[in-house]
């Protein structure tokens, strides 16, 4: 049974070669998926040594050139460690390379020590949240193509105008956050989509349909218009088989618009993800 969900694949930006990650995106498009997204990390380890990591924005540039239809983007970029004016330039460039197919996933990022504190970046969640909110305001102003200035706690910009504008009238922003925290939901209400993330017993899991419905209800109460708003399931891939369509129907009834199956760092995740992609969307 076909559902109205748009379905996508996501992959860590590590423990695979750069070429492998690009090829996974091409395969996802060829098999009929609607999107391909890349995690954004520097180290992904609290130890001195971590996995072999590739830059997601460099990967996205090549993926944009090698694909024609699917939506692409980072999922999620921690805005707190990026200069928002540089992020604006990167975003608009990828949007042009992809002919208007970029979706910007944002969040606090993790792990706080290995990916942030080790490099002198803010590790405190509240500080990173403040940098995220201000950074998005600056990013949006610069991407608008209009004259823009900003005076905030963390960023100050004298009047300037960035060119070119994105191909899209507006690059969609999806906000990720770990449930049951409500602050990420309130933040997501100001943008274009929400990606609730859940853990159970310390393990990354898929949010339930009732959890997605509750998150969307919180967002609806803070917005005047839900037209075009995306509710995105982040579904860790454990195995290679497609989801049962009856399960997907529960999420459609809860208001979900995107279903992203993501590989998680575990042995042989690359092979499992290739097999899952070969099976195609449900």
């Amino acid at each position: 049974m076909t559902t109205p969900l748009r379905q996508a694949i996501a992959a860590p930006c590590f423990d695979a070669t750069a070429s492998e990650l690009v090829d996974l995106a091409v395969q996802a498009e060829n098999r009929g998926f609607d999107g391909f997204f890349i995690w954004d990390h520097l180290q992904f380890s609290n130890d001195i040594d971590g996995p072999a990591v590739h830059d997601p924005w460099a990967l996205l540039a090549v993926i944009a050139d090698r694909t024609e239809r699917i939506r692409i983007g980072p999922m999620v970029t921690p805005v707190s460690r990026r200069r928002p004016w540089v992020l604006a330039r990167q975003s608009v460039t990828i949007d042009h390379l992809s002919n208007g197919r970029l979706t910007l996933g944002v969040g606090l990022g993790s792990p706080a020590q290995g990916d942030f504190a080790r490099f002198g970046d803010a590790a405190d969640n509240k500080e990173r949240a403040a940098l995220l909110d201000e950074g998005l305001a600056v990013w949006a102003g610069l991407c608008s193509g209009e004259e823009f200035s900003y005076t905030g706690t963390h960023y100050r910009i004298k009047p300037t105008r960035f060119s070119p504008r994105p191909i899209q009238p507006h690059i969609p922003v999806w906000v990720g956050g770990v449930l049951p925290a409500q602050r990420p939901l309130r933040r997501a209400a100001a943008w274009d989509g929400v990606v609730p993330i859940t853990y159970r017993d310390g393990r990354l899991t898929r949010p339930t349909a009732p959890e997605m419905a509750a998150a969307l209800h919180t967002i609806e109460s803070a917005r005047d218009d839900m037209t075009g708003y995306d509710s995105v399931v982040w579904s860790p891939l454990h195995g290679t088989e497609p989801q049962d369509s009856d399960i997907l129907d529960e999420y459609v009834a809860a208001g979900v618009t995107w279903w992203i199956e993501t590989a998680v760092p575990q042995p042989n995740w690359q092979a499992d993800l290739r097999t899952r992609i070969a099976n195609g969307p449900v």
Side-chain angles (χ1 to χ4, degrees), residues 256-276:
V256 169
T257 61
W258 276 84
W259 180 274
I260 300 179
E261 292 183 67
T262 180
V264 294
Q266 60 189 16
N268 301 317
W269 73 258
Q270 306 93 329
D272 285 348
L273 190 59
R274 281 193 295 271
T275 300
R276 173 64 193 93

Side-chain angles (χ1 to χ4, degrees), residues 166-203:
I167 295 290
Q168 302 176 82
H170 167 71
I171 297 173
V173 175
W174 291 351
V175 178
V178 177
L179 296 180
Q182 295 297 295
R183 178 66 183 271
L185 300 181
R186 293 193 294 270
R187 177 178 296 113
W191 296 96
D192 308 291
V194 63
V195 189
I197 297 170
T198 54
Y199 290 86
R200 306 189 206 286
D201 299 323
R203 185 174 186 241

Side-chain angles (χ1 to χ4, degrees), residues 225-274:
D225 184 7
M226 292 295 290
T227 303
Y229 194 85
D230 284 313
S231 174
V232 185
V233 167
W234 188 249
S235 180
L237 179 64
H238 301 292
T240 60
E241 293 302 315
Q243 298 295 326
D244 186 292
S245 63
D246 290 338
I247 295 176
L248 299 190
D249 289 342
E250 298 176 13
Y251 286 87
V252 173
V256 169
T257 61
W258 276 84
W259 180 274
I260 300 179
E261 292 183 67
T262 180
V264 294
Q266 60 189 16
N268 301 317
W269 73 258
Q270 306 93 329
D272 285 348
L273 190 59
R274 281 193 295 271

Side-chain angles (χ1 to χ4, degrees), residues 1 19 25 37 42 47 52 73 188 267 271 277 281:
M1 177 179 179
S19 295
F37 300 95
L42 283 176
D47 297 326
I277 291 171

Side-chain angles (χ1 to χ4, degrees), residues 10-261:
C13 58
F14 48 83
D15 276 344
T17 69
S19 295
E20 283 176 321
L21 290 166
V22 172
D23 287 342
L24 288 171
V26 173
Q27 292 167 25
E29 178 169 89
N30 290 341
R31 290 298 298 150
F33 285 94
D34 301 298
F36 186 87
F37 300 95
I38 294 282
W39 295 20
D40 186 343
H41 292 278
L42 283 176
Q43 188 83 335
F44 201 72
S45 173
N46 286 323
D47 297 326
I48 293 175
D49 295 314
V53 177
H54 296 287
D55 178 73
W57 288 92
L59 291 170
L60 287 169
V62 181
I63 290 170
D65 184 63
R66 292 277 304 277
T67 58
E68 298 179 353
R69 176 186 55 81
I70 55 174
R71 292 207 70 84
I72 62 174
M75 199 64 61
V76 298
T77 279
V79 177
S80 67
R81 74 154 172 251
R82 297 191 176 276
R83 295 183 177 183
W85 39 93
V86 176
L87 183 61
R89 286 296 194 202
Q90 291 173 316
S91 300
V92 173
T93 300
I94 298 297
D95 199 58
H96 277 255
L97 285 171
S98 66
N99 195 29
R101 293 184 285 122
L102 176 68
T103 294
L104 179 66
V106 300
L108 295 190
S110 67
Q113 294 302 312
D115 252 31
F116 296 89
R118 172 176 285 120
F119 305 103
D121 291 329
D124 177 75
N125 283 351
K126 288 184 178 180
E127 185 177 359
R128 284 190 290 151
L131 286 162
L132 169 57
D133 289 333
E134 282 200 20
L136 280 176
V138 171
W139 173 88
L142 294 172
C143 286
S144 71
E146 303 294 335
E147 182 177 317
F148 177 73
S149 62
Y150 187 86
T151 300
T153 301
H154 300 282
Y155 301 114
R156 291 174 177 80
I157 299 175
K158 295 179 180 179
T160 189
R161 188 195 314 271
F162 268 18
S163 179
R165 298 171 187 250
I167 295 290
Q168 302 176 82
H170 167 71
I171 297 173
V173 175
W174 291 351
V175 178
V178 177
L179 296 180
Q182 295 297 295
R183 178 66 183 271
L185 300 181
R186 293 193 294 270
R187 177 178 296 113
W191 296 96
D192 308 291
V194 63
V195 189
I197 297 170
T198 54
Y199 290 86
R200 306 189 206 286
D201 299 323
R203 185 174 186 241
L204 183 66
T205 60
R206 182 178 67 230
T208 65
E211 285 173 329
M212 293 298 299
L216 199 57
H217 178 72
T218 298
I219 290 165
E220 287 173 336
S221 66
R223 288 177 63 94
D224 295 328
D225 184 7
M226 292 295 290
T227 303
Y229 194 85
D230 284 313
S231 174
V232 185
V233 167
W234 188 249
S235 180
L237 179 64
H238 301 292
T240 60
E241 293 302 315
Q243 298 295 326
D244 186 292
S245 63
D246 290 338
I247 295 176
L248 299 190
D249 289 342
E250 298 176 13
Y251 286 87
V252 173
V256 169
T257 61
W258 276 84
W259 180 274
I260 300 179
E261 292 183 67

